[in-house]
Amino acid sequence: MSSQDKGKKPAAKAAGKPAKKAAKKTAKAAEPAVAAPVLSEVRAHIDGIDKQIQSLISERARFAQQVGRAKGPLKAAVDYYRPERESQVLRQVLDRNDGPLNDEVLLRLFREIMSACLAQQEPLKIGFLGPEGTFSQQAVIKHFGHSARGLPLASIEEVFQEVEAGHADFGVVPVENSGQGTIQSTLDMFLTSNLKICGEVELHVHQHLMSRTGRLEDIERVYSHPMSLAQCKTWLRQNLPKAEKIPVASNAEAARRARTADDAAAIAGESAGHVYGLKIVSGPIEDRPDNTTRFLVLGRELFTPSGHDRTSLLVFVRDQPGALYNVLSPFAKYGVSMNRIESRPSHTGRWQYAFFIDVSGHVEEEKVEKALSELGDYAADVKILGSYPVALL
């Protein structure tokens, strides 16, 4: 190839680029221009949709009243509440969701609609570990909506007692944390209580350091629940190594104490800071970003299957070789997945233990029923704590 030929190809390429750009411009010019929306028309359209939404919510509320009348002369809101039905409705919401709102937002919206419709009869009374501003209160709102009436109580034991006595329709208590494990005081209550688990709530927990002044350098002591102190121990060691760490009954109680002195702080959720007028010093400060607490919903009866359930059991084993193996074998035999097992002193004798076991499925499902029937051959006693819908999000 001659030197002249070599020089021609770059020239040809260079000549082709303007032609391609011109062709693209011509193609763009040929496309129809999209007119910008007229703001007043968009707002008018939104107003029309709002009217339809309001009309449909009112229609739903009227049908909810008909459900009440169809059930007969019931006396209290607790008689109308069906956790398995709510779980089915909310799962359908998730299945239908194509955006743009995410699943969590849509669930919250529908939960509030269902909560308001149910409260037409009478608001549900829900006991929780108080005072106001605790994570337990957040779990109540997430599960029952704002139309339920929260009853802040002084201890987990009191939540059990108030539900058993009928002063509260349901109770919400923490049972385990993803990083710190089981709340033993909750498990121990099931050894003697006749209450049933009828739901569960998973709450992403974000801890914040809060004080009256909002200045880290002022802090000499930190109040919080022992579980929260443990969840933030690395951050505290790095940022407040000399501060006194004082455990209290709840994070809301910590916030209530911290508001009385400039040198005190609390570790709690943001809601507690709003309730008690504290400023956020830092947060989130939990050591694990996936920090999640699981709560149980306590009631007085078992409910029917929702289609996506979990069963909790309390099993007292016989004192014999291979006892635990024999207890667990029927679950494997019938293909029942075990989600959790935890041992606790049974309080029936020295060195005797009970096992808390969570399995997939409802007690009325055939495979779970068969496993439980064989379980009785190896266990001294089996107590069904509840069969309930698995937490949604």
Side-chain angles (χ1 to χ4, degrees), residues 337-383:
S337 296
M338 187 173 65
N339 309 123
R340 185 175 70 98
I341 182 169
E342 181 94 11
S343 66
R344 292 291 296 153
S346 65
H347 299 173
T348 58
R350 188 172 56 181
W351 313 124
Q352 294 186 13
Y353 291 85
F355 290 88
F356 291 87
I357 301 174
D358 286 346
V359 298
S360 295
H362 194 279
V363 70
E364 294 182 10
E365 293 179 22
E366 184 179 5
K367 63 181 182 179
V368 178
E369 192 175 6
K370 286 182 177 179
L372 291 177
S373 66
E374 291 191 13
L375 195 65
D377 297 335
Y378 306 108
D381 189 25
V382 178
K383 185 177 180 182

Side-chain angles (χ1 to χ4, degrees), residues 36 84 87 136 270 294:
E84 75 281 17
S87 177
S136 293
E270 282 188 275
R294 178 178 174 232

